[in-house]
Amino acid sequence: MRTFSQYVRVAVFAAVATGGAVFLALNGWPQPDHVREFAGLVFAAIVLATVAAAPAGADDRGTMTPSFVGDLCALILFGGNAALGLAAIGIVARAIAFPDRLIPLRRTVVSCGGILIATEAAWLAYSAIGGLVDASAWPMQAAPIAGAVGVYAFVKIAVAEAIAPVVNDEPFNRSWMAAIPRCAPTYFVAAGIAAGLVEIVNRGAWQLLPAAAIPLFCAQRAYAAALARAAADDRRRQVIDSLNQGMAVLDGAGCVTVWNDALERLLECPRERAVGCTLASAVPALAQTPLPRAIDEARTSRSARSLSPLPLSSPTRARVLEVTILPAAGGATLLWLDITERALAEQALKRAEERLTLAAEGAQDGLWEWDFRTQAFYASGRWKAMLGLPAAAGVGKADQWLSRVHAEDVAAFKEALDAHLSGATDHLEHEHRIRHEDGTYRRFLCRGVAARGAANQKPVRIAGSLTDTTERVAAKEQLRTEFRDPLTGLCNRADFVERLGRRLADVKRQRVGDSFAALYLDLDRFKVVNDSLGHLVGDELLTAVARRLESCLRQGDALARLGGDEFAILLNAIGDPQQANAIAFRIQKVFADPFSIAGREVFTSASIGIAFGQSHYDNPEEIMRDADTAMYHAKSRGKARHELFDADMHARTRDRLGLENDLRQAINNNDFEVHYQPIVLLASRMCVGFESLIRWTRNGEPVSPATFVPMAEELGLIESLGTWVLQQACHAFAEWRRQYPDSGLDYITVNVSGRQLMQHSFLHLVEQTVHAAKLQPRDLRLEITETALMDSPTSAAKLLSELRDFGVKIYLDDFGTGYSSLSHLHKFPVDALKIDRSFVRSLDLGSDRPAIVESILALARTLNTSVVAEGIESDSQARELVRLGCTHAQGYLFARPLSSAAAEQVIAAHQPLGPKAEAVASPRAFDRTARIAV
């Protein structure tokens, strides 16, 4: 409703605008001598724009407004500029009369701009077609007027329906051209009125104006009412289209009269296809649903009905709908709601409930939920059955559970529950006893997780499971009892490793600040006690050792017997490594006193390896491995001591393991070479024999025999390796003798280890090898060290006698460096003594060692044995040995150990060996003779 002030502002503006028009007309614009006509047209334009204004939004829809009649009259009478001015005056008048229509401003600017652009376009069309200003040449004037009206209508409708939505950030109206045939006729009707008014003005028939005013007024009122109804229809349609629900209205014949946008999207059926058709024709899939029958029933009973769910398939997806049918006189209104997501959610919830119910019925655990808001406690059937209650799920009170908890477990359980509810722990996990319906207490493991509302709020409920652990705990206790060491009563390896693993897990979780250590103990020389005094004494010693070890422990430490004579100690908490050292020294101290076993005093000691528990370990077995490694290092360094594990130990152990693996592979593949060092007659320096020496190249690098030969003995591989060397040496020597019968070669020597002497088939092996090579037994000399003979002197003497009876000669290698005694020496059938290089080297030092060499030579003469000196490196040593009466020698002075091909060249040359033949070279530790294979 307009106010009095608005009327005043419009009147003032009308007076000013009319006065301005009079002033301009008096000055010859737009045409001279038309003052009255132009001023009256300006006044009429203001009246049409305010009093006879179209409803709000008419310009936005491209609808013809009454102001168009005045604008067209101005265009025909006074030209385009006057029409633009008159249109502008109308726009300003409407803004003054209806200031509320200026909002939003962007929409208003677009609407006003559309009017001015349409006016200018109409003038251009009018002029182009041949329209004349202030002329009434009928009917020729009709064509320009029609063209101008058509252009005006097109431009205004295009701006309102196509351009304005884009500028106003609304969706583009793809069907904007459909508004042209709907709105354009009114523009041509208005053009006819304008043409009549122009004719009255041109002919000066002013007396006709009063007669035309009343029909024009009535027409304007009827047109305004029609626009109002159209506006109301638009608003109703917009409301309907804006609904989230789909909406359809059916008439008495069942045909669609209303079909909103939401329903278009929902049923994927455009309005154009649906309006005027039945539902079954518009959407054929609906014909196969209960909807048509439900519509008929609702219209017959005149009561609302709801149909849900209504499954409906479309080309793109399947939907579930809910349709509400509202019967009305002569038809019905249908409200459509897409409940697909809700239906899917309900279906998923139902399936989840079914799965949960099935899982609860089939699970071994009982399920429970405690709602803190209502204090309702849900228990599954399995939960109740485990307590001896009727196996039916139900809701009760929490006392049904809490009142059954054992009195000694209540405090700990509540503490764990409160810790979880306060957020201190991620989940609840507590094992406690619960009273069964039969009165006994069973042990259960309770797990649960609390559900909280918003952040930092108190929990509203907690749910979880209950597991019966009674039998498992009993079995575990029984297992713990069974896994005790039956001899000492200590825990065994499995129990110790489990404890070690728990302690490692504590360190990884950083629950305890202190570190820990594992001690690996192995008794020294226990096998001697066991073999000499018997297993019963050995068992008593192990028990006594266990008791002494227990006296060295602190509170919280653990002791275990791993097996045999091996023990392990877990130092549960140590502040620094010195504490582990102190306990190791304490153990060595208590072992210093003798053990009183079966009336005897028995002494023993222990080699101890220590590994500290650190978070980088993945499992307890790795800690045990490193402690074991450190223990073996302690044994290798003299026993009765302890060693701390470090990374270098592990690296050395790993390298040794790799070397052992490669050695096994090399033995399997015979990846070795036999080199031969000439043995010369000192008087002539001619080669009369060879000593066979084994060589091994690993990954392109030579490995010293001093490294791999003892390893082969330790691994039990020396027998097969020695057999191979024996066969290779005999075969090579036999081949040389056949190729060079005049070479003067007398024999080949092969080194034999102590383990080979203990082979029961060694004699047979030697005989077989000699016969296979077609040698004489005297051609083979076996070199044996004093130490190898003293390991088992009686059996060694018997074997050597059998070998000599066969014809093989025996050389005693490295004589003077072992621990044999002269009392045993005369018992061994020895054919030659080999003077060790250490004595030969001293011949150049001017010490008393020449006397030792002279004594060995004298002893050899007494025993009627030959002598071979090893390690001759200088000519002075050779001359001194000749002076002392030594006849045979070998060493770098004459030749290094040679490959088979090089040795064959020496044989073929048949020349004296020594400085005249090749330069003397300094010795290397690598080429020392290895004690290997016969």
Side-chain angles (χ1 to χ4, degrees):
M1 179 180 292
R2 284 172 286 182
T3 63
F4 178 74
S5 61
Q6 287 177 323
Y7 283 110
V8 172
R9 286 197 294 270
V10 171
V12 171
F13 178 72
V16 172
T18 304
V22 172
F23 176 77
L24 291 174
L26 291 175
N27 286 278
W29 191 91
Q31 291 181 8
D33 301 330
H34 286 79
V35 175
R36 180 179 55 184
E37 290 83 353
F38 185 61
L41 196 56
V42 169
F43 181 78
I46 294 173
V47 172
L48 291 173
T50 56
V51 178
D59 286 338
D60 296 340
R61 299 189 300 275
T63 305
M64 191 278 296
T65 60
S67 298
F68 173 69
V69 176
D71 298 341
L72 187 57
C73 289
L75 186 143
I76 298 172
L77 292 172
F78 302 109
N81 290 334
L84 282 173
L86 203 65
I89 290 173
I91 290 171
V92 175
R94 278 196 299 273
I96 294 173
F98 307 103
D100 55 316
R101 298 186 184 179
L102 297 177
I103 301 172
L105 183 60
R106 186 189 300 180
R107 185 182 299 276
T108 302
V109 170
V110 173
S111 178
C112 295
I115 294 173
L116 296 177
I117 293 171
T119 303
E120 180 65 20
W123 166 245
L124 294 176
Y126 182 79
S127 302
I129 298 175
L132 301 175
V133 178
D134 193 19
S136 56
W138 303 99
M140 299 304 297
Q141 193 70 3
I145 293 175
V149 172
V151 171
Y152 185 97
F154 178 83
V155 172
K156 188 176 180 186
I157 293 170
V159 171
E161 294 288 343
I163 298 176
V166 177
V167 175
N168 294 320
D169 297 330
E170 297 175 359
F172 178 72
N173 183 9
R174 298 182 181 274
S175 60
W176 65 274
M177 295 189 68
I180 295 176
R182 185 181 69 248
C183 299
T186 58
Y187 284 94
F188 286 97
V189 172
I193 296 173
L197 293 176
V198 169
E199 190 64 21
I200 292 174
V201 171
N202 284 335
R203 295 182 181 276
W206 301 107
Q207 66 276 13
L208 296 177
L209 286 177
I214 294 175
L216 290 175
F217 175 76
C218 294
Q220 186 274 330
R221 297 304 297 171
Y223 182 65
L227 290 180
R229 287 193 300 273
D233 291 341
D234 286 343
R235 287 194 296 272
R236 184 165 55 253
R237 186 176 66 255
Q238 290 175 359
V239 170
I240 292 174
D241 289 342
S242 66
L243 294 175
N244 290 328
Q245 286 182 311
M247 180 177 178
V249 178
L250 307 181
D251 59 13
C255 295
V256 176
T257 59
V258 175
W259 192 271
N260 72 343
D261 292 345
L263 194 56
E264 282 190 7
R265 296 189 297 270
L266 195 62
L267 300 183
E268 300 180 11
C269 177
R271 182 183 292 110
E272 292 78 9
R273 192 177 77 190
V275 174
C277 300
T278 63
L279 283 177
S281 300
V283 184
L286 291 175
Q288 308 300 324
T289 66
L291 182 60
R293 181 178 177 183
I295 295 173
D296 293 339
E297 292 176 354
R299 293 179 62 181
T300 302
S301 63
R302 294 186 176 276
S303 61
R305 291 202 58 182
S306 180
L307 187 61
S308 177
L310 179 64
L312 186 66
S313 297
S314 68
T316 58
R317 60 173 295 186
R319 296 180 184 271
V320 180
L321 306 176
E322 180 182 76
V323 182
T324 301
I325 307 169
L326 304 175
T333 300
L334 277 64
L335 300 179
W336 308 68
L337 182 63
D338 187 354
I339 61 170
T340 304
E341 299 297 332
R342 187 178 73 187
L344 292 176
E346 291 175 352
Q347 185 179 14
L349 179 61
K350 183 179 179 181
R351 290 180 179 176
E353 292 176 351
E354 292 174 351
R355 284 194 296 268
L356 182 61
T357 302
L358 185 61
E361 292 176 355
Q364 291 296 320
D365 295 348
L367 305 181
W368 56 270
E369 181 187 34
W370 184 1
D371 193 325
F372 299 125
R373 296 165 297 187
T374 63
Q375 292 302 312
F377 180 79
Y378 165 80
S380 68
R382 176 61 182 166
W383 190 96
K384 292 186 175 181
M386 287 191 300
L387 299 183
L389 299 172
V395 178
K397 295 296 183 182
D399 289 342
Q400 184 180 5
W401 171 20
L402 301 179
S403 62
R404 293 175 175 268
V405 178
H406 196 284
E408 295 178 0
D409 298 338
V410 170
F413 172 63
K414 288 187 175 180
E415 182 180 353
L417 179 61
D418 293 340
H420 176 57
L421 296 179
S422 64
T425 58
D426 295 334
H427 59 275
L428 168 66
E429 184 169 337
H430 188 266
E431 192 170 14
H432 52 270
R433 290 164 289 177
I434 302 179
R435 187 181 71 255
H436 194 270
E437 193 64 15
D438 61 7
T440 63
Y441 280 92
R442 299 184 65 83
R443 187 170 292 274
F444 292 89
L445 176 62
C446 174
R447 297 186 182 93
V449 176
R452 292 173 169 82
N456 300 324
Q457 285 190 355
K458 292 183 178 180
V460 295
R461 59 191 176 90
I462 184 173
S465 64
L466 198 68
T467 306
D468 190 342
T469 61
T470 306
E471 296 180 358
R472 187 181 68 186
V473 171
K476 188 175 181 180
E477 289 298 327
Q478 182 181 0
L479 189 65
R480 187 179 298 274
T481 302
E482 291 178 353
F483 282 168
R484 287 279 176 179
D485 178 53
L487 177 63
T488 62
L490 303 176
C491 63
N492 65 357
R493 175 185 288 271
D495 193 20
F496 182 82
V497 171
E498 182 183 355
R499 295 189 186 189
L500 191 63
R502 290 199 301 267
R503 187 65 182 86
L504 177 61
D506 289 340
V507 170
K508 283 182 171 292
R509 287 194 296 266
Q510 297 183 348
R511 291 183 178 177
V512 183
D514 293 335
S515 180
F516 68 97
L519 276 64
Y520 203 113
L521 292 83
D522 185 88
L523 300 183
D524 300 325
R525 301 183 67 251
F526 176 75
K527 186 176 183 303
V528 176
V529 176
N530 222 17
D531 293 344
S532 60
L533 301 180
H535 291 285
L536 291 179
V537 174
D539 290 347
E540 291 185 28
L541 177 60
L542 292 175
T543 303
V545 166
R547 302 290 82 82
R548 287 197 186 180
L549 289 176
E550 287 176 333
S551 68
C552 299
L553 301 183
R554 309 164 305 166
Q555 185 175 1
D557 295 342
L559 171 64
R561 180 185 174 214
L562 304 180
D565 59 345
E566 294 181 339
F567 295 83
I569 296 176
L570 169 61
L571 302 182
N572 196 51
I574 55 174
D576 59 75
Q578 295 304 321
Q579 294 183 12
N581 277 324
I583 293 176
F585 281 122
R586 186 187 307 171
I587 294 173
Q588 299 291 1
K589 184 177 180 182
V590 299
F591 276 25
D593 297 329
F595 292 85
S596 179
I597 306 296
R600 295 185 177 87
E601 286 190 346
V602 178
F603 290 87
T604 189
S605 58
S607 299
I608 306 173
I610 304 174
F612 294 99
Q614 298 175 349
S615 59
H616 71 269
Y617 283 109
D618 293 328
N619 52 67
E621 286 77 10
E622 293 181 355
I623 303 177
M624 296 289 287
R625 176 201 66 197
D626 291 346
D628 187 25
T629 299
M631 183 270 293
Y632 275 104
H633 276 267
K635 276 192 176 297
S636 66
R637 294 185 178 182
K639 303 179 180 179
R641 55 182 290 130
H642 67 273
E643 291 287 340
L644 303 180
F645 175 80
D646 56 37
D648 290 339
M649 283 186 185
H650 184 58
R652 289 194 296 271
T653 302
R654 187 174 61 248
D655 291 344
R656 177 182 170 85
L657 181 61
L659 185 62
E660 290 178 357
N661 292 336
D662 290 348
L663 179 60
R664 292 179 186 273
Q665 190 70 22
I667 291 175
N668 291 334
N669 299 331
N670 293 328
D671 291 337
F672 297 93
E673 289 185 67
V674 179
H675 284 202
Y676 303 91
Q677 186 171 32
I679 300 175
V680 302
L681 190 65
L682 283 175
S684 63
R685 298 198 178 184
M686 294 296 293
C687 176
V688 295
F690 289 94
E691 179 181 3
S692 55
L693 303 169
I694 190 168
R695 295 291 183 262
W696 178 32
T697 300
R698 176 186 181 227
N699 298 328
E701 295 291 333
V703 182
S704 171
T707 299
F708 72 82
V709 170
M711 184 180 295
E713 291 183 343
E714 181 181 345
L715 298 176
L717 305 174
I718 196 67
E719 291 87 350
S720 58
L721 184 60
T723 300
W724 180 83
V725 173
L726 176 64
Q727 293 171 347
Q728 292 292 316
C730 291
H731 177 76
F733 185 75
E735 186 66 23
W736 293 335
R737 288 278 292 270
R738 282 190 289 271
Q739 290 185 20
Y740 308 100
D742 299 328
S743 61
L745 291 179
D746 293 333
Y747 54 85
I748 182 77
T749 71
V750 180
N751 294 283
V752 178
S753 71
R755 291 182 64 95
Q756 287 179 277
L757 293 178
M758 291 186 290
Q759 282 183 271
H760 296 296
S761 61
F762 184 68
L763 175 61
H764 176 69
L765 174 65
V766 173
E767 293 174 348
Q768 186 179 26
T769 303
V770 170
H771 293 322
K774 297 181 180 180
L775 293 176
Q776 296 297 321
R778 65 176 178 274
D779 297 335
L780 176 62
R781 316 291 166 90
L782 301 181
E783 295 191 17
I784 305 170
T785 63
E786 295 177 81
T787 304
L789 292 175
M790 295 309 298
D791 286 342
S792 182
T794 302
S795 59
K798 181 176 180 296
L799 177 61
L800 295 183
S801 296
E802 293 173 346
L803 289 171
R804 286 194 67 185
D805 292 342
F806 173 63
V808 173
K809 295 185 179 298
I810 307 300
Y811 281 20
L812 191 60
D813 199 10
D814 297 339
F815 182 76
T817 60
Y819 54 84
S820 65
S821 63
L822 295 177
S823 62
H824 285 91
L825 184 60
H826 75 279
K827 299 179 181 179
F828 296 124
V830 177
D831 295 291
L833 304 178
K834 296 195 74 172
I835 303 175
D836 186 70
R837 68 181 66 244
S838 61
F839 299 121
V840 173
R841 189 180 300 115
S842 65
L843 295 176
D844 289 336
L845 302 179
S847 62
D848 58 349
R849 291 298 182 92
I852 297 178
V853 174
E854 189 173 2
S855 299
I856 293 174
L857 290 169
L859 178 62
R861 285 192 290 271
T862 303
L863 296 176
N864 194 27
T865 61
S866 301
V867 175
V868 179
E870 293 182 302
I872 312 303
E873 299 169 1
S874 66
D875 196 55
S876 60
Q877 293 173 348
R879 288 195 299 272
E880 182 66 15
L881 287 170
V882 171
R883 186 188 68 80
L884 293 175
C886 183
T887 58
H888 294 76
Q890 65 187 83
Y892 286 175
L893 176 65
F894 311 111
R896 295 172 176 271
L898 305 171
S899 65
S900 178
E904 185 174 346
Q905 292 178 359
V906 170
I907 298 171
H910 196 58
Q911 296 293 327
L913 302 178
K916 296 179 181 179
E918 59 181 8
V920 178
S922 61
R924 293 185 300 173
F926 171 81
D927 291 309
R928 291 181 179 177
T929 304
R931 302 303 131 215
I932 188 69
V934 192

